[in-house]
């Protein structure tokens, strides 16, 4: 199930690629096949009828041994193991885009991934160390279709703006006022919650806390993708985006529900781009409402208090495998429930190559994680930039800090020994989970980067009885 | 990553490892191995590639009715696939790739000769992102001009076991196809054919009518070209035939299948100069074997760039 998070991470990458296209753009000195074809006179990269890009990313994370008052207490299986561990992901992706008709585009993105999470992808709330980790997968490479969707743009006037050629973006000139409709198989964060400085985990921060709001439980399957539709209305500096996407049939599973009139994930985002002291920036406000099959924490506790035989070890159906016979479990109370959240996303260029970001979200915290992380409230902020100032324009560096919390009902449930899709130590001394991340990516050659990364995570799984945890990582990333 | 993991990835990308499923009896059921994107009809390659760099993309939807029956057990009663393909052409060569997404497969289980047969259960809800075996290939026009009356060529295709056996989308092993191709045309009629060997290591399928090792394959097509008045377009209509037999028991009824399609293709040019083709096909099995359905419909679209 936790592998689903990995999918979400991949989705976030695509969002980042888009964000780069709008803010930083694709550096002319960076190698890729489409520029090569253009240089050879075989392609028009400004007004494209097709494009094809690819990427290969390998990430290794080494978690050092850390102190813990207890681990997997009373049969709960969801702690981050306290001994040293290593995790890896390797992904390869092809981004195929074609102009299907006038103002229409079709996209197909096959992807292969191999992975090994830390502790079976258990024990971290909003600070999962590698955005690529999915809730399904393993050491053996697995090929899947990450995206297959159509897009149509209705031009509504205004000045012409350039959309540069990028993965999942055909080079084109479009009206500043336009309506963009997308339908098919894609990720919510392909469309919503972009941020120039923190949405591209294959080039920027590795930790999931920076990919999107940690508390944004956006509807998706176990890989982070979904079926659905989105509408984006752009009116000069303003944009409004709405998407209705398919939720998983059961929390954090690969199977999705396609009766979008019954169960769904809705999100609405308002964006305003601005110029502050001559530097570009943007402010986004996003609200989401999921109606999906989830269990409410208070309901699980009440069911267990009323009848202790309804405990985690006796689950009759889908559960996360706890053997704690003295703990409540969400398995007894799952059904159609509603989850709400509201967040703010801010980005601001300080120089052409450097910028700061902030994200903060509050979710209602009444029901379990269904698709992203176990977090109910989150903030993340930091600074990220390119190395133009030191004559390394393709290098990327960043430092960020994120905090995450669980709600009172969620904490009560965990304290009693309950688990959700990712966390549950069998007990809880409630505290905010925090992560500090520092990285530097060296552009080694053409479009090949090597990254060194350090993460310090306090109170893993919101539990002050455990941690802190230090994780060092390396990333090899190639684009073509 | 550990060296073993890296090796697994490399091998997986090369299609050398990664058997996709623990289910023992599934295999690659689909028989309609489409011609490369932009190459002509549904089954055959027109060998018209020429000139500089060009390419094509194609998407199709197909439905096959009752493609697998085992005695009285309708193991696969319906199969719907979406196929996506891309071709890059240069001079007399085509390099192509394709992969299908299983959209819907269903059937009924049963027991035959003591073997319990488990039907597939594929929907977009329970398989939201799965793919069948991926195909990589190259074809070359060896003799004859691109627009000449007769052309001779060859192709080689590799099927990487990325699909799931329990979904009847993979043998779980690498497969390959090597063929001799012929094509030609008169002023109004096109014809094309292919004869080759499907190197299919799997020959031990528990399903009584399953794969029996390497197969001989034949495909043939003919079409009449009809100009569409007032448009820079043309319609091509004609039959296409596909036949297969396992070499181990060549031409035996239980290991040989024949299927025919009536295909139609409309080709024209968009305002931006990109050529496109709309394709339809319908037909059915003449001699049944696994993967040969009672009837089949398929529809697709191709976008072509480069040399006409």
């Amino acid at each position: 199930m936790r592998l689903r998070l990995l999918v979400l991470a991949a989705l976030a990458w695509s969002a980042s690629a888009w964000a780069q296209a709008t803010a930083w753009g694709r550096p002319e000195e960076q190698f890729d096949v489409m520029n090569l074809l253009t240089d050879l006179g075989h392609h028009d990269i400004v007004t494209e009828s097709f494009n094809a890009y690819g990427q290969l990313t390998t990430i290794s994370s080494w978690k050092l041994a850390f102190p813990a008052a207890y681990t997997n207490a009373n049969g709960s299986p969801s702690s981050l193991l306290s001994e040293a561990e290593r995790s890896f992901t390797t992904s390869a992706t092809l981004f195929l885009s074609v102009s299907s008709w006038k103002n229409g585009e079709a996209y197909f993105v096959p992807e292969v991934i191999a992975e090994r999470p830390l502790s079976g992808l258990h024990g971290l709330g909003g600070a999962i160390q590698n955005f690529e980790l999915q809730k399904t997968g393993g050491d053996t490479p697995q090929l899947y279709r990450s995206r297959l969707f159509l897009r149509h743009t209705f031009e509504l006037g205004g000045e012409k703006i350039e959309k540069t050629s990028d993965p999942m973006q055909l080079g084109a000139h479009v009206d500043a006022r336009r309506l963009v409709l997308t339908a098919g198989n894609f990720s919510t964060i392909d469309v919503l919650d972009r941020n120039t400085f923190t949405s591209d985990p294959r080039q920027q921060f590795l930790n999931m806390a920076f990919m999107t709001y940690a508390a944004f439980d956006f509807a998706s399957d176990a890989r982070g993708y979904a079926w659905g539709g989105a509408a984006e209305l752009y009116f000069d500096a303003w944009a409004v985006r709405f998407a209705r996407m398919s939720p998983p049939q059961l929390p954090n599973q690969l199977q999705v529900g396609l009766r979008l009139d019954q169960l769904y994930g809705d999100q609405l985002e308002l964006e305003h781009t601005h110029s502050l002291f001559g530097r570009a920036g943007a402010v986004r406000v996003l609200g989401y409402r999921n109606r999906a099959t989830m269990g409410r924490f208070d309901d699980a506790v009440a069911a267990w208090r009323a009848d202790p035989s309804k405990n985690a070890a006796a689950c009759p159906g889908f559960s996360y495998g706890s053997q704690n016979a003295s703990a409540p479990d969400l398995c007894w109370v799952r059904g159609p429930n509603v989850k709400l959240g509201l967040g703010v996303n801010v980005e601001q260029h300080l120089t052409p190559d450097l910028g700061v970001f902030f994200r903060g979200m509050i979710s209602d915290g009444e029901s379990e994680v269904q698709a992203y992380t176990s977090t109910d409230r989150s903030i993340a902020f930091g600074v990220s930039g390119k190395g133009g100032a030191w004559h390394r324009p393709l290098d990327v560096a960043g430092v960020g800090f994120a905090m995450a919390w669980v709600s009172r009902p969620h904490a009560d449930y965990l304290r009693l020994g309950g688990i959700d899709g990712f966390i549950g130590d069998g007990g809880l001394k409630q505290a905010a989970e925090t992560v500090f991340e520092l990285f530097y990516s060296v552009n080694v050659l053409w479009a090949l980067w090597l990254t060194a990364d350090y993460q310090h995570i306090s109170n893993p799984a919101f539990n002050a009885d455990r941690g802190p945890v230090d994780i060092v990582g390396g990333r090899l990333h190639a684009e073509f | 990553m550990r060296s073993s993991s890296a090796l697994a990835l490399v091998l997986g990308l090369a299609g050398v490892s990664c058997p996709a499923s623990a289910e023992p009896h599934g295999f690659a059921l689909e028989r309609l191995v489409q011609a490369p994107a932009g190459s002509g009809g549904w089954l055959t390659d027109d060998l018209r590639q020429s000139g500089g760099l060009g390419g094509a993309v194609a998407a199709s939807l197909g439905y096959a009715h009752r493609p697998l029956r085992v005695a009285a057990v309708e193991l696969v009663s319906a199969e719907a696939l979406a196929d996506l393909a891309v071709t890059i052409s240069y001079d007399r060569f085509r390099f192509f790739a394709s992969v299908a997404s299983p959209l819907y497969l269903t059937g009924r289980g049963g027991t035959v000769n003591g073997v319990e047969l488990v039907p597939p259960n594929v929907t977009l809800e329970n398989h939201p992102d799965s793919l069948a075996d991926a195909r990589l290939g190259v074809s070359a026009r060896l003799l004859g001009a691109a627009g000449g009356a007769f052309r001779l060529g060859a192709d080689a295709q590799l099927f990487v076991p990325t699909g799931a056996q329990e979904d009847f989308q993979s043998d779980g092993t690498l497969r390959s196809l090597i063929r001799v191709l012929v094509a030609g045309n008169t002023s109004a009629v096109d014809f094309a054919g292919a004869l080759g060997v499907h190197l299919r290591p799997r020959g031990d399928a528990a399903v009584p009518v399953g794969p029996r090792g390497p197969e001989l394959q034949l495909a043939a097509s003919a079409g009449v070209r009809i100009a569409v008045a007032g448009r820079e377009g043309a319609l091509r209509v004609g039959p296409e035939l596909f036949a297969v037999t396992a070499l181990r028991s060549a031409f035996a009824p239980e290991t040989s299948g024949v299927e025919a399609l009536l295909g139609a293709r409309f080709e024209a040019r968009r305002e931006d100069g990109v050529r496109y083709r709309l394709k339809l096909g319908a037909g059915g099995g003449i001699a049944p074997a696994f993967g040969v359905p009672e009837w089949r419909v398929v529809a697709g679209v191709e976008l072509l760039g480069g040399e006409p």
Side-chain angles (χ1 to χ4, degrees):
Chain A
M1 299 176 172
R2 300 179 177 185
L3 294 175
R4 195 170 238 185
L5 289 175
L6 187 53
V7 173
L8 293 174
L11 288 174
W13 175 80
S14 64
S16 68
W18 190 303
Q20 274 191 295
T22 56
W24 269 343
R26 199 175 186 85
E28 289 183 2
E29 56 270 44
Q30 181 175 324
F31 169 82
D32 58 58
V33 172
M34 302 317 298
N35 271 303
L36 177 64
L37 288 174
T38 300
D39 293 343
L40 294 174
H42 296 303
H43 186 64
D44 178 1
I45 203 167
V46 176
T47 306
E48 292 185 307
S49 57
F50 78 97
N51 71 30
Y53 289 98
Q55 73 83 30
L56 175 69
T57 302
T58 292
I59 297 171
S60 277
S61 304
W62 290 268
K63 182 198 73 188
L64 309 183
F66 68 91
Y70 48 86
T71 298
N72 287 334
N74 303 316
S76 293
S78 297
S79 289
L80 185 69
L81 300 178
S82 57
E83 59 261 33
E85 278 188 288
R86 180 177 167 274
S87 163
F88 78 88
T89 58
T90 297
S91 69
T93 315
L94 280 177
F95 300 89
L96 306 174
S97 313
V98 63
S99 168
S100 47
W101 57 78
K102 181 175 171 58
N103 292 336
E105 300 154 34
Y107 296 90
F108 175 49
V109 184
E111 187 162 73
V112 63
I113 192 161
E115 67 170 34
R116 183 183 305 151
L118 296 175
S119 308
L121 202 53
H122 291 100
L124 291 170
I128 295 169
Q129 88 287 352
N130 177 351
F131 73 95
E132 290 250 46
L133 286 166
Q134 299 180 354
K135 290 175 259 183
T136 183
D139 284 9
T140 302
Q142 188 172 11
L143 177 72
Y144 59 93
R145 181 198 61 246
S146 67
R147 301 172 184 86
L148 178 64
F149 63 90
L150 298 173
R151 175 175 291 148
H152 186 85
T153 299
F154 297 91
E155 307 232 64
L156 303 176
E159 64 177 298
K160 287 288 184 184
I161 59 173
E162 182 180 8
K163 303 293 285 186
T164 57
S165 174
D166 259 310
M168 298 201 302
Q169 177 60 58
L170 291 174
H173 286 88
V174 298
D175 289 353
R177 299 171 184 176
R178 63 194 186 277
L179 174 65
V180 182
L181 302 180
T182 303
N185 176 201
F186 58 100
S187 169
T188 300
I189 56 177
D190 284 341
V191 176
L192 293 102
D193 193 40
R194 303 167 195 168
N195 189 300
T196 302
F197 304 108
T198 183
S199 288
D200 185 356
R202 285 177 175 144
Q203 281 271 28
Q204 299 170 330
F205 296 94
L206 289 179
N207 196 289
M208 260 184 214
F210 299 106
M211 188 174 74
T212 182
Y213 307 95
F216 183 19
D217 200 13
F218 60 93
S220 70
D221 65 19
R223 299 186 194 280
Y225 304 95
W227 288 82
E232 304 169 77
L233 177 63
Y234 294 87
F235 198 91
D236 300 330
W238 292 90
V240 180
R241 303 182 180 95
F242 173 79
R244 170 164 286 197
M245 306 298 289
S246 60
Q249 290 181 6
L250 290 167
N252 306 299
Q253 303 303 296
L254 186 63
Q255 293 77 21
V256 297
L258 295 178
R259 290 295 306 268
L260 296 184
D261 58 325
Q262 297 176 359
L263 300 176
Y264 47 80
D266 281 347
Q267 30 273 313
L268 178 66
E269 183 181 61
L270 178 65
E271 174 190 87
H272 183 261
T273 55
H274 61 256
S275 178
L276 192 64
F277 304 114
R279 303 295 185 194
V283 178
R284 303 173 184 92
V285 178
L286 183 149
Y288 79 89
R289 181 180 185 274
N290 294 338
R291 178 174 163 75
T293 302
M294 299 176 286
R296 290 166 49 88
F297 301 114
D298 280 348
D299 291 350
V301 171
W304 172 72
R305 289 194 192 284
D307 180 0
S309 70
K310 292 184 174 179
N311 59 66
C315 279
F318 171 74
S319 76
Y320 296 113
S322 174
Q323 296 303 307
N324 190 341
S326 59
D329 199 282
L330 295 155
C331 69
W332 297 98
V333 295
R334 283 198 178 95
N337 279 303
V338 170
K339 180 186 268 191
L340 301 168
L342 183 66
V344 177
N345 167 346
V346 180
E347 65 177 74
Q348 179 62 52
H349 277 268
L350 302 178
T351 73
D353 284 342
L354 185 70
V356 293
F357 64 89
F358 170 84
R359 276 197 185 98
M361 175 169 274
I362 296 176
S363 292
D364 60 29
E366 299 292 332
S367 47
E368 66 179 311
V369 52
Q370 59 131 9
Y372 192 46
T373 81
S374 297
T375 302
D376 298 318
R377 285 106 203 214
S378 64
I379 61 169
F381 56 88
V383 58
S384 178
K386 295 192 171 183
W390 53 95
H391 310 294
R392 299 278 309 170
L394 295 181
D395 288 4
V396 185
V399 57
F401 182 76
M403 294 184 75
W405 299 265
V406 287
S407 64
R408 190 276 307 162
H410 197 168
D412 288 348
Y413 172 80
L414 295 171
R415 192 176 295 112
L416 291 168
I419 66 170
D420 65 18
F422 305 97
I423 61 171
D425 295 317
L428 180 74
K429 183 178 179 182
Q430 187 179 2
E433 183 187 77
T434 66
V435 56
F436 167 82
E437 181 173 357
L438 175 68
F439 76 92
Y440 190 93
S441 285
V442 179
N443 178 248
V444 180
L445 179 72
W446 287 356
L448 180 68
W449 287 264
L450 194 59
T451 303
D453 182 83
Y454 169 71
Q455 298 177 33
H456 179 82
I457 300 171
S458 298
N459 308 318
F462 314 100
N463 193 350
D465 285 337
R466 311 187 80 244
V469 183
D470 291 296
I471 298 174
V472 294
R475 170 176 58 195
L476 180 68
H477 173 64
E479 298 178 358
F480 50 89
Chain B
M1 70 192 305
R2 289 194 333 188
S3 59
S4 59
S5 303
L7 180 62
L9 178 65
V10 171
L11 293 178
L13 291 171
V16 174
S17 70
C18 59
S21 163
E23 285 289 335
H25 68 254
F27 51 85
L29 176 64
E30 180 59 33
R31 287 295 197 186
L32 186 73
V33 177
Q34 294 191 21
S39 73
W42 288 111
L43 296 168
T44 54
D45 189 327
D46 62 12
L47 292 172
R48 285 179 177 270
Q49 63 268 37
S50 65
L53 199 60
V57 296
S60 67
L61 288 172
Y63 173 80
H65 191 66
R66 293 179 175 168
L68 179 59
R69 279 174 294 170
V70 183
V73 177
E74 205 167 88
L75 189 54
V76 182
S77 57
E79 178 189 51
L81 301 175
D83 194 87
L84 298 166
V86 60
T87 291
I88 297 171
S89 60
Y90 183 76
D91 195 7
R92 57 183 61 223
F93 299 98
R94 275 198 184 98
F95 304 90
F96 54 93
S98 71
V99 67
S101 275
L103 304 177
Y104 181 73
L105 278 95
T106 190
R108 294 192 181 92
T111 302
V112 176
N113 296 339
V115 178
E116 184 181 356
L117 303 176
V118 180
N121 177 25
V122 175
T123 66
L124 271 184
E125 290 193 323
N126 62 28
H127 289 62
D129 61 4
S130 60
L131 295 171
D133 282 0
R135 176 176 63 146
L136 304 171
V138 58
S139 70
R141 177 169 49 80
L142 303 175
L143 292 174
F150 180 79
R151 302 176 288 281
L152 178 69
D155 73 359
Q157 303 182 31
L158 190 67
F159 297 84
V160 182
T162 51
Q165 283 180 255
E166 68 267 31
D167 298 337
F168 287 85
Q169 298 301 315
S170 178
D171 278 5
T173 63
L174 203 65
R175 296 176 288 133
S176 57
L177 179 61
I178 300 171
R179 301 187 299 181
V180 174
L181 311 174
V182 296
N185 50 271
T186 66
S187 58
V189 176
D190 295 333
F191 65 87
L195 178 65
V197 177
H198 181 193
L199 298 172
R200 189 167 201 167
R202 183 144 187 214
D204 58 350
V207 177
V209 300
R212 289 293 178 268
E215 300 167 338
L216 186 67
Q217 286 197 1
L218 170 72
S221 71
V224 178
R225 293 194 306 277
I226 305 166
V228 177
R231 305 192 62 165
E232 189 189 353
L235 185 67
R236 180 188 185 279
V237 180
E240 303 193 44
L241 185 78
F242 172 80
V244 60
T245 186
L247 292 174
R248 187 183 298 178
S249 49
F251 308 112
E254 66 275 15
T255 59
S256 303
V258 181
E259 182 177 350
L261 287 176
L262 179 62
R265 184 187 81 196
F266 173 74
E267 179 172 339
R269 191 180 293 273
R270 298 193 317 202
E271 288 180 2
D272 60 5
V274 173
R275 287 180 298 139
Y276 66 92
R277 290 172 177 168
L278 304 177
K279 298 166 68 175
L280 283 172
I286 296 172
F290 74 85
V292 175
E294 283 188 2
W295 55 268
R296 179 197 300 274
V297 292
V298 58
V301 60
E302 293 181 345
L303 300 176
L304 300 91
E307 297 291 327

